[in-house]
Amino acid sequence: MTNSTVPAVKLAGVMKRFGNFAALSDVNLDIAAGEKVVICGPSGSGKSTLIRCINHIEQHDGGEISVNGIRLDRSAASVAKVRSVTGMVFQNFNLFPHMTVLENCTLAPRSTLKLSRAKAEAQAMELLSKVRIGDQARKYPGQLSGGQQQRAAIARSLCMQPKIMLFDEPTSALDPEMVKEVLETMKALAGEGMTMICVTHEMGFAREVADRVVFMDRGSIMEQGRPDAFFSNPHTDRARQFLSQII
Ligand code: ADP
Ligand code: MG
């Protein structure tokens, strides 16, 4: 199921409604293993809803979603399998405030992956060092800067050994001077071959890292393409208008 011919993520005709409002309408998207996709678009266009449907934080109401060949069919088993291969990083870090950074990084590996405390801690320290906050492991999230907290959240996600990482505006809540350190961490991860789907308006990151940029508006994918093509020659008026506002 994990061979390279199986898409990492496949959405076919995906619909998501909140009441009568269509947050996603007929979304089709295939993402290959190892691919880096940046999703952009105006506020309210359905970007978060799309990536939240991929790991079933939101439940789609129509169409099909498969992750690593596992079809999300509403069964608890399919949801658990999909979550076991996906990691997610949120705008507001979502670290557990009453636990140290190290405990944040070892909780799920111990309870879900059944790693011993020693193994879970060794893995956590390795990943925290990799995101360059090994020296912060014994601190509580509130004692860290925003950039350090977000890097801790990335390390915590990686401790679950995901195949696909989902990022929902990971730098939007950060002070400008901390954006770079988080983007550097994400670039390093991209360089290791991780499949990444990033909702972000960091167009420098998109140009440098993305294989593909997907532009959404009003619950639909309006256009997609390689970053250079999308940025220099967007096809739709809406994308042109969007880019003129953010660049
Ligand atoms: P984006 O991430 O692109 O800003 P979202 O995916 O968060 O957009 O939201 C898309 C639309 O769906 C917005 O109009 C938003 O108000 C609506 N929406 C999102 N989540 C909910 C919810 N839980 N209940 C009702 N409406 C929602
Ligand atoms: Mg959003």
Side-chain angles (χ1 to χ4, degrees):
M1 297 293 271
T2 53
N3 72 52
S4 56
T5 58
V6 176
V9 175
K10 186 175 180 66
L11 284 80
V14 170
M15 314 287 294
K16 173 66 191 174
R17 290 181 200 87
F18 294 108
N20 288 329
F21 176 77
L24 296 178
S25 1
D26 191 25
V27 170
N28 296 287
L29 187 63
D30 274 21
I31 295 172
E35 200 177 0
K36 288 63 166 123
V37 174
V38 159
I39 301 178
C40 65
S43 179
S45 57
K47 306 177 300 292
S48 295
T49 303
L50 189 157
I51 67 165
R52 291 162 70 88
C53 282
I54 292 172
N55 67 352
H56 209 75
I57 296 178
E58 298 287 358
Q59 182 174 296
H60 60 293
D61 345 89
E64 288 189 9
I65 299 179
S66 298
V67 180
N68 236 26
I70 306 151
R71 184 170 160 213
L72 274 171
D73 60 7
R74 293 172 184 241
S75 67
S78 75
V79 173
K81 277 192 204 161
V82 164
R83 293 211 178 131
S84 75
V85 295
T86 50
M88 184 144 181
V89 173
F90 301 88
Q91 187 172 341
N92 291 309
F93 328 134
N94 292 12
L95 293 164
F96 304 117
H98 58 294
M99 292 181 183
T100 65
V101 168
L102 184 64
E103 287 163 351
N104 266 277
C105 290
T106 56
L107 180 70
R110 290 181 66 192
S111 64
T112 306
L113 302 182
K114 309 290 180 203
L115 298 192
S116 66
R117 174 196 282 264
K119 278 218 171 108
E121 289 189 349
Q123 174 185 252
M125 287 311 303
E126 188 187 321
L127 287 164
L128 287 169
S129 303
K130 202 158 142 184
V131 302
R132 298 195 310 246
I133 49 167
D135 55 343
Q136 309 293 316
R138 305 279 169 188
K139 291 189 184 169
Y140 287 87
Q143 298 173 293
L144 272 55
S145 72
Q148 289 173 326
Q149 288 187 60
Q150 192 59 298
R151 285 183 284 148
I154 293 170
R156 179 179 66 174
S157 249
L158 295 175
C159 284
M160 290 303 284
Q161 305 167 7
K163 296 190 183 309
I164 300 160
M165 285 290 289
L166 309 172
F167 293 87
D168 193 356
E169 302 207 36
T171 60
S172 297
L174 298 176
D175 292 334
E177 70 270 22
M178 291 170 191
V179 169
K180 193 168 165 232
E181 67 195 44
V182 170
L183 293 179
E184 290 300 327
T185 299
M186 292 168 64
K187 278 182 211 168
L189 191 57
E192 292 170 12
M194 178 66 79
T195 308
M196 292 169 62
I197 306 174
C198 310
V199 176
T200 182
H201 291 157
E202 292 293 337
M203 294 302 141
F205 174 83
R207 276 182 191 277
E208 208 175 317
V209 172
D211 299 304
R212 184 157 39 133
V213 176
V214 169
F215 173 72
M216 293 186 70
D217 193 28
R218 298 182 215 178
S220 298
I221 294 176
M222 300 298 295
E223 62 176 282
Q224 52 184 309
R226 293 197 60 82
D228 46 357
F230 174 72
F231 291 121
S232 60
N233 187 24
H235 295 309
T236 60
D237 287 341
R238 286 184 201 168
R240 257 192 295 279
Q241 195 181 10
F242 172 75
L243 288 172
S244 73
Q245 283 162 2
I246 62 158
I247 290 180

